[in-house]
Short mmCIF file of all heavy atoms in Angstrom, two decimals:
data_model
loop_
_atom_site.label_atom_id
_atom_site.label_comp_id
_atom_site.label_asym_id
_atom_site.label_seq_id
_atom_site.Cartn_x
_atom_site.Cartn_y
_atom_site.Cartn_z
N LYS A 29 -9.67 -12.20 10.67
CA LYS A 29 -8.53 -12.32 9.83
C LYS A 29 -7.40 -11.43 10.42
O LYS A 29 -7.64 -10.53 11.21
CB LYS A 29 -8.79 -11.87 8.40
CG LYS A 29 -9.76 -12.79 7.68
CD LYS A 29 -9.90 -12.38 6.21
CE LYS A 29 -10.78 -13.34 5.42
NZ LYS A 29 -10.92 -12.96 4.02
N GLY A 30 -6.19 -11.71 9.98
CA GLY A 30 -5.07 -10.95 10.45
C GLY A 30 -4.96 -9.59 9.79
O GLY A 30 -5.63 -9.32 8.78
N ARG A 31 -4.15 -8.77 10.38
CA ARG A 31 -3.92 -7.44 9.81
C ARG A 31 -3.02 -7.53 8.57
O ARG A 31 -1.93 -8.15 8.65
CB ARG A 31 -3.32 -6.52 10.89
CG ARG A 31 -3.48 -5.04 10.61
CD ARG A 31 -3.27 -4.23 11.87
NE ARG A 31 -4.25 -4.52 12.89
CZ ARG A 31 -4.33 -3.89 14.06
NH1 ARG A 31 -3.46 -2.92 14.34
NH2 ARG A 31 -5.23 -4.23 14.91
N GLU A 32 -3.43 -6.88 7.49
CA GLU A 32 -2.74 -7.01 6.23
C GLU A 32 -2.28 -5.62 5.75
O GLU A 32 -3.07 -4.70 5.72
CB GLU A 32 -3.67 -7.66 5.21
CG GLU A 32 -3.12 -7.74 3.81
CD GLU A 32 -4.13 -8.24 2.80
OE1 GLU A 32 -5.32 -7.95 3.00
OE2 GLU A 32 -3.74 -8.92 1.86
N GLY A 33 -1.05 -5.54 5.29
CA GLY A 33 -0.54 -4.30 4.76
C GLY A 33 -1.17 -3.94 3.44
O GLY A 33 -1.34 -4.79 2.56
N VAL A 34 -1.52 -2.70 3.28
CA VAL A 34 -2.08 -2.19 2.03
C VAL A 34 -1.04 -1.38 1.26
O VAL A 34 -0.81 -1.65 0.07
CB VAL A 34 -3.30 -1.29 2.30
CG1 VAL A 34 -3.84 -0.70 0.97
CG2 VAL A 34 -4.38 -2.08 3.02
N ALA A 35 -0.40 -0.48 1.91
CA ALA A 35 0.59 0.39 1.29
C ALA A 35 1.44 1.05 2.33
O ALA A 35 1.09 1.12 3.52
CB ALA A 35 -0.08 1.45 0.43
N ALA A 36 2.60 1.56 1.90
CA ALA A 36 3.48 2.27 2.80
C ALA A 36 4.25 3.33 2.07
O ALA A 36 4.38 3.29 0.80
CB ALA A 36 4.49 1.28 3.49
N ILE A 37 4.76 4.32 2.77
CA ILE A 37 5.52 5.41 2.22
C ILE A 37 6.69 5.69 3.11
O ILE A 37 6.56 5.75 4.32
CB ILE A 37 4.62 6.67 1.99
CG1 ILE A 37 5.43 7.75 1.26
CG2 ILE A 37 4.06 7.16 3.29
CD1 ILE A 37 4.50 8.90 0.79
N ASP A 38 7.89 5.86 2.50
CA ASP A 38 9.06 6.09 3.33
C ASP A 38 9.34 7.58 3.48
O ASP A 38 8.63 8.42 2.98
CB ASP A 38 10.28 5.33 2.71
CG ASP A 38 10.67 5.80 1.31
OD1 ASP A 38 10.39 6.96 0.97
OD2 ASP A 38 11.25 4.99 0.59
N SER A 39 10.43 7.84 4.15
CA SER A 39 10.75 9.23 4.50
C SER A 39 11.10 10.08 3.27
O SER A 39 11.03 11.31 3.33
CB SER A 39 11.93 9.25 5.47
OG SER A 39 13.08 8.64 4.93
N ALA A 40 11.46 9.45 2.15
CA ALA A 40 11.74 10.14 0.92
C ALA A 40 10.53 10.26 0.01
O ALA A 40 10.63 10.79 -1.11
CB ALA A 40 12.90 9.47 0.20
N GLY A 41 9.40 9.74 0.42
CA GLY A 41 8.21 9.80 -0.38
C GLY A 41 8.00 8.61 -1.28
O GLY A 41 7.03 8.58 -2.04
N GLY A 42 8.94 7.63 -1.24
CA GLY A 42 8.79 6.45 -2.01
C GLY A 42 7.62 5.58 -1.50
O GLY A 42 7.45 5.44 -0.31
N THR A 43 6.90 4.98 -2.42
CA THR A 43 5.73 4.21 -2.02
C THR A 43 5.85 2.74 -2.43
O THR A 43 6.56 2.40 -3.36
CB THR A 43 4.43 4.77 -2.62
OG1 THR A 43 4.55 4.77 -4.04
CG2 THR A 43 4.22 6.18 -2.15
N VAL A 44 5.13 1.90 -1.68
CA VAL A 44 5.07 0.50 -2.02
C VAL A 44 3.64 0.01 -1.73
O VAL A 44 3.01 0.51 -0.77
CB VAL A 44 6.12 -0.29 -1.17
CG1 VAL A 44 5.84 -0.13 0.29
CG2 VAL A 44 6.12 -1.77 -1.57
N TYR A 45 3.17 -0.92 -2.54
CA TYR A 45 1.81 -1.39 -2.41
C TYR A 45 1.78 -2.92 -2.39
O TYR A 45 2.63 -3.55 -3.02
CB TYR A 45 0.92 -0.91 -3.55
CG TYR A 45 0.79 0.59 -3.60
CD1 TYR A 45 1.73 1.37 -4.31
CD2 TYR A 45 -0.26 1.23 -2.97
CE1 TYR A 45 1.58 2.74 -4.38
CE2 TYR A 45 -0.39 2.60 -3.02
CZ TYR A 45 0.52 3.36 -3.73
OH TYR A 45 0.40 4.72 -3.79
N ALA A 46 0.82 -3.44 -1.73
CA ALA A 46 0.58 -4.89 -1.78
C ALA A 46 0.22 -5.23 -3.21
O ALA A 46 -0.49 -4.47 -3.89
CB ALA A 46 -0.52 -5.29 -0.83
N ASP A 47 0.65 -6.39 -3.68
CA ASP A 47 0.38 -6.79 -5.07
C ASP A 47 -1.11 -6.79 -5.37
O ASP A 47 -1.51 -6.48 -6.50
CB ASP A 47 0.97 -8.22 -5.35
CG ASP A 47 2.49 -8.21 -5.40
OD1 ASP A 47 3.08 -7.14 -5.58
OD2 ASP A 47 3.05 -9.27 -5.21
N SER A 48 -1.92 -7.14 -4.39
CA SER A 48 -3.31 -7.22 -4.63
C SER A 48 -4.04 -5.88 -4.79
O SER A 48 -5.19 -5.87 -5.24
CB SER A 48 -3.98 -8.00 -3.48
OG SER A 48 -3.78 -7.32 -2.22
N VAL A 49 -3.40 -4.80 -4.46
CA VAL A 49 -4.04 -3.51 -4.50
C VAL A 49 -3.38 -2.48 -5.42
O VAL A 49 -3.84 -1.36 -5.51
CB VAL A 49 -4.13 -2.88 -3.11
CG1 VAL A 49 -4.86 -3.81 -2.13
CG2 VAL A 49 -2.78 -2.48 -2.55
N LYS A 50 -2.30 -2.91 -6.13
CA LYS A 50 -1.65 -1.96 -7.02
C LYS A 50 -2.60 -1.42 -8.08
O LYS A 50 -3.37 -2.18 -8.68
CB LYS A 50 -0.47 -2.66 -7.70
CG LYS A 50 0.72 -2.90 -6.80
CD LYS A 50 1.90 -3.50 -7.51
CE LYS A 50 3.11 -3.65 -6.61
NZ LYS A 50 4.26 -4.26 -7.32
N GLY A 51 -2.53 -0.14 -8.26
CA GLY A 51 -3.40 0.51 -9.20
C GLY A 51 -4.75 0.87 -8.68
O GLY A 51 -5.55 1.48 -9.39
N ARG A 52 -5.03 0.53 -7.42
CA ARG A 52 -6.31 0.80 -6.81
C ARG A 52 -6.24 1.77 -5.68
O ARG A 52 -7.08 2.65 -5.53
CB ARG A 52 -6.92 -0.54 -6.34
CG ARG A 52 -7.24 -1.53 -7.46
CD ARG A 52 -7.43 -2.92 -6.91
NE ARG A 52 -8.32 -2.92 -5.76
CZ ARG A 52 -8.39 -3.88 -4.84
NH1 ARG A 52 -7.61 -4.97 -4.98
NH2 ARG A 52 -9.23 -3.82 -3.84
N PHE A 53 -5.22 1.60 -4.82
CA PHE A 53 -5.00 2.47 -3.69
C PHE A 53 -3.85 3.42 -3.96
O PHE A 53 -2.93 3.08 -4.66
CB PHE A 53 -4.72 1.70 -2.41
CG PHE A 53 -5.91 1.02 -1.82
CD1 PHE A 53 -6.25 -0.28 -2.12
CD2 PHE A 53 -6.69 1.71 -0.90
CE1 PHE A 53 -7.35 -0.88 -1.55
CE2 PHE A 53 -7.81 1.08 -0.30
CZ PHE A 53 -8.14 -0.22 -0.64
N THR A 54 -3.93 4.59 -3.34
CA THR A 54 -2.84 5.54 -3.42
C THR A 54 -2.54 6.06 -2.03
O THR A 54 -3.39 6.52 -1.34
CB THR A 54 -3.21 6.72 -4.31
OG1 THR A 54 -3.48 6.26 -5.65
CG2 THR A 54 -2.01 7.75 -4.40
N ILE A 55 -1.28 5.92 -1.64
CA ILE A 55 -0.86 6.47 -0.35
C ILE A 55 -0.09 7.72 -0.60
O ILE A 55 0.66 7.86 -1.56
CB ILE A 55 0.01 5.43 0.40
CG1 ILE A 55 0.30 5.90 1.83
CG2 ILE A 55 1.32 5.12 -0.36
CD1 ILE A 55 0.97 4.83 2.73
N SER A 56 -0.29 8.68 0.25
CA SER A 56 0.42 9.97 0.13
C SER A 56 0.51 10.63 1.47
O SER A 56 -0.09 10.17 2.47
CB SER A 56 -0.34 10.87 -0.86
OG SER A 56 -1.64 11.18 -0.39
#
């Protein structure tokens, strides 16, 4: 399978998650 994004965090600490993993993964 292809590589799939799970989560990301920007330079200000803002986070974004794939819809399928919200509430399950935490990026920090």
